[in-house]
Amino acid sequence: MAKKPTAPPPHPDLAVVKAETGFSRFLQLDVVHFRHRLFSGEWSGERVYDVLRRGDAVAILLYDPERDSVVLVEQFRLPPLYAGFSPWQIEPVAGLVDEGESYEDVARRETREEADVEPLGELIPIQRYSPSPGDSDEATMLFCGRVDARQAEGIHGLPEEHEDIRVAVKTVAEIETMLDAGQIDTGHTLICLYWLLRHRDRLRQDWLGG
């Protein structure tokens, strides 16, 4: 991973005292000493934050309006285990943005790599959001894309990255049951699925023409 600039971008409500990189490998951890403007208009005392520099990511919810089904992926995730969740997580296709890639490029690339399907037509932007603003600079762009769920099956991923990713096709009825039972643990997955439930009728009308 290329080293990211250590200091945050300038902002009128921020005064950086010192910024240094404490660790850098696949992820980068920066230590930032700073002051910020208070609601009173005064300035805070010096604060110190450890900032995990993960960068831009993309997730895409793959929806088949004809079969009213969602194509998700399941894989082993170590960090949720620390929080008491199952390490086997069901999520949308997702990945990090490499230098020079657009969000849509990443969404389409990851769809091919993780689910071995191709989105049909244009992608629909859902929103860009900050998953963990208290400790990370990660910003995730969410999309919805149309697919043919009949083509979605099997285990995929890049062998050189030791990926072992299984496709999981769920009907919207199954998704509603999983949501009600609290069986979805990750923020980007929850946002995408609740967005789909809100916009599902419009998507089916737009994509199916009636």
Side-chain angles (χ1 to χ4, degrees):
M1 181 189 75
K3 187 178 184 300
K4 302 176 184 296
T6 304
H11 191 281
D13 295 330
L14 173 70
V16 176
V17 178
K18 181 174 64 172
E20 55 192 355
T21 296
F23 175 83
S24 181
R25 196 176 61 167
F26 176 69
L27 298 175
Q28 178 176 320
L29 183 69
D30 290 342
V31 182
V32 183
H33 299 246
F34 67 99
R35 295 184 175 89
H36 68 88
R37 198 181 305 276
L38 302 172
F39 290 114
S40 67
E42 301 297 321
W43 286 85
S44 72
E46 184 174 318
R47 306 181 67 182
V48 182
Y49 261 41
D50 296 338
V51 182
L52 182 63
R53 307 298 307 282
R54 186 166 169 83
D56 279 334
V58 168
I60 176 170
L61 183 66
L62 305 172
Y63 176 56
D64 182 337
E66 293 188 50
R67 278 150 284 279
D68 201 22
S69 296
V70 176
V71 177
L72 300 168
V73 292
E74 182 180 12
Q75 59 186 310
F76 187 93
R77 298 285 203 185
L78 182 61
L81 198 56
Y82 284 85
F85 296 108
S86 169
W88 295 102
Q89 291 287 314
I90 294 180
E91 307 167 305
V93 163
L96 295 176
V97 178
D98 292 333
E99 187 174 355
E101 284 187 304
S102 70
Y103 295 138
E104 184 165 331
D105 287 341
V106 177
R108 293 185 181 278
R109 169 173 59 77
E110 292 291 343
T111 299
R112 291 190 293 269
E113 290 178 3
E114 295 190 357
D116 196 31
V117 293
E118 188 74 37
L120 306 173
E122 295 184 2
L123 305 184
I124 298 176
I126 297 177
Q127 75 170 81
R128 185 171 180 256
Y129 85 109
S130 177
S132 188
D135 56 25
S136 175
D137 72 339
E138 180 177 347
T140 303
M141 181 67 205
L142 306 177
F143 289 100
C144 181
R146 181 180 180 180
V147 293
D148 183 345
R150 293 174 298 182
Q151 302 175 11
E153 61 181 357
I155 297 174
H156 308 286
L158 299 178
E160 63 269 26
E161 296 183 8
H162 305 288
E163 291 182 329
D164 184 53
I165 301 171
R166 183 170 65 182
V167 171
V169 179
K170 304 288 184 182
T171 65
V172 169
E174 289 174 318
I175 290 297
E176 290 178 314
T177 298
M178 294 176 70
L179 289 170
D180 289 343
Q183 295 175 344
I184 302 296
D185 302 325
T186 58
H188 63 290
T189 312
L190 289 167
I191 292 171
C192 287
L193 293 177
Y194 279 120
W195 180 91
L196 176 64
L197 294 182
R198 183 180 180 189
H199 296 279
R200 170 186 171 209
D201 291 342
R202 175 178 62 84
L203 287 177
R204 298 190 78 191
Q205 182 171 4
D206 290 347
W207 284 344
L208 300 178

